[in-house]
Amino acid sequence: MSGADLCIIIPVYNRAATVGRAIASLKYAGPDPVEVVVVDDGSGDDSAEAARAALVLNPDLRGRVITQTNAGPGAARNTGAAATDARYLAFLDSDDYWLPGALDALVEAVRTAEAPALIFLKTVDAADGETPATGPGPVTARNHPGFLEAVERDPGTRYGSCNVVVRADVFAGLGGYATDIRCSEDTDLFLRAAAAGRCLVLGGRPLVVHHVGRGDSLTSNFPSVLEGFERMLRAEGEGRYPCLPGASVAKARFLGKCAAHTIREAFGAGHPAEGYRLLWRHAGLLVRAQSWHWLMRLPIFPLLSLIRPQSYPMRWAAGRD
């Protein structure tokens, strides 16, 4: 496999402490160099310098660093995609990293699979200072007709930009990531790609360590979460999420899960009034998605947060609602 067949794109914003680890994790046993494009999205720290230093220490990588004015994660990933002619685009967040053998498994999958539109790698969560328990084991490859079918049949898999690989022609045909939102831009892309071709899920053992617990991540910013969700609903209403025949029910269930997640985030962020407003507004979506457990659980989220705070964390703040 030549270096031009796969490019790993790493967007970075104020992650000087972790981007080097992400780059160093891209180990490949094959003879060809791995292409890496790091896009510094207007960082205020030394992220770009840290990335350049890591590339020097890893000469097996054919890497470069691009800098741009801050425009958000979707725009940074689009910049990286425009800078390569690779056949596949793998995306890795700068505070995450790949486990040994991940790149070899991905290369093998791309060689043998029938040109899937999307590939997702199994993740394991870890917080600062944690070493995740991964263990040895074979990598499995499960083929699905499309993204929505993969979500239905492999519900335990994470589907995000931290562990996705997209065929470059599919990515270009869809116009890349949306740049008008800074959260859920990955889910929006996957929904637009739901009818673009097969979806391959690499599992069996974890391949990507996904960092959790960082308070400054966009996924912990409720206004960004709400903005992304509302944009997805508008896109669905405009018919921008085509799906394969027979997958409309799966799409409804998926959007219902997105609604439940957004409502839960509202409660968790300490905005119970907004949580109830969203629940009232999108109860019909939860019904169509047959999300009965969420319809029963979400109304009592504040009570559950008092009874089981570890399972239902909620940041109470006087006067926020």
Side-chain angles (χ1 to χ4, degrees):
M1 191 175 201
S2 71
D5 287 329
L6 176 69
C7 178
I8 302 163
I9 298 167
I10 305 176
V12 57
Y13 178 71
N14 292 343
R15 293 286 185 266
T18 60
V19 66
R21 179 184 63 185
I23 292 170
S25 73
L26 304 176
K27 303 296 185 184
Y28 175 48
D32 300 311
V34 175
E35 184 178 9
V36 179
V37 175
V38 180
V39 182
D40 183 86
D41 189 37
S43 294
D45 66 0
D46 296 329
S47 292
E49 290 77 7
R52 293 188 183 98
L55 289 171
V56 170
L57 293 175
N58 293 272
D60 289 339
L61 301 178
R62 193 179 71 187
R64 51 189 157 146
V65 178
I66 300 172
T67 60
Q68 66 179 31
T69 302
N70 181 259
R77 295 184 185 106
N78 291 346
T79 296
T84 179
D85 60 358
R87 192 162 61 96
Y88 274 90
L89 309 171
F91 295 95
L92 172 63
D93 289 347
S94 57
D95 55 349
D96 300 336
Y97 58 95
W98 286 7
L99 290 165
L103 189 50
D104 300 87
L106 176 58
V107 169
E108 179 64 21
V110 171
R111 279 178 172 171
T112 58
E114 296 181 3
L118 298 170
I119 304 172
F120 290 93
L121 285 65
K122 184 176 180 178
T123 64
V124 60
D125 290 345
D128 280 334
E130 288 185 349
T131 300
T134 55
V139 175
T140 61
R142 296 181 296 277
N143 246 308
H144 304 285
F147 168 70
L148 291 167
E149 292 80 1
V151 171
E152 290 275 289
R153 300 172 190 176
D154 269 308
T157 299
R158 181 188 304 277
Y159 297 93
S161 283
C162 67
N163 63 322
V164 69
V165 185
V166 188
R167 207 173 71 219
D169 64 320
V170 171
F171 189 85
L174 295 171
Y177 285 94
T179 58
D180 59 332
I181 50 175
R182 298 200 175 198
C183 192
S184 298
E185 77 284 351
D186 50 358
T187 307
D188 168 75
L189 175 69
F190 306 154
L191 284 169
R192 285 187 284 127
R198 300 190 67 81
C199 181
L200 182 69
V201 176
L202 298 182
R205 63 178 175 86
L207 299 173
V208 180
V209 176
H210 172 66
H211 187 275
V212 295
R214 190 182 293 276
D216 60 349
S217 67
L218 286 171
T219 52
S220 65
N221 183 315
F222 174 67
S224 294
V225 172
L226 179 59
E227 180 185 33
F229 171 65
E230 291 181 338
R231 180 165 178 316
M232 283 195 297
L233 290 186
R234 289 196 301 272
E236 168 64 7
E238 295 166 0
R240 296 175 58 192
Y241 294 152
C243 60
L244 295 173
S248 57
V249 174
K251 181 169 64 172
R253 278 196 289 263
F254 182 78
L255 290 171
K257 291 178 181 177
C258 293
H261 171 75
T262 304
I263 297 166
R264 180 168 175 156
E265 285 295 305
F267 285 121
H271 299 285
E274 180 65 20
Y276 285 118
R277 282 194 294 269
L278 290 169
L279 179 59
W280 175 260
R281 188 183 308 161
H282 299 300
L285 179 58
L286 294 172
V287 170
R288 290 194 299 275
Q290 300 179 358
S291 297
W292 309 116
H293 64 297
W294 284 117
L295 282 169
M296 297 173 61
R297 193 178 304 171
L298 286 170
I300 58 172
F301 190 102
L303 177 61
L304 292 172
S305 72
L306 297 175
I307 299 172
R308 297 170 57 190
Q310 295 299 318
S311 300
Y312 299 89
M314 186 162 177
R315 298 191 297 277
W316 294 95
R320 294 182 71 179
D321 283 292

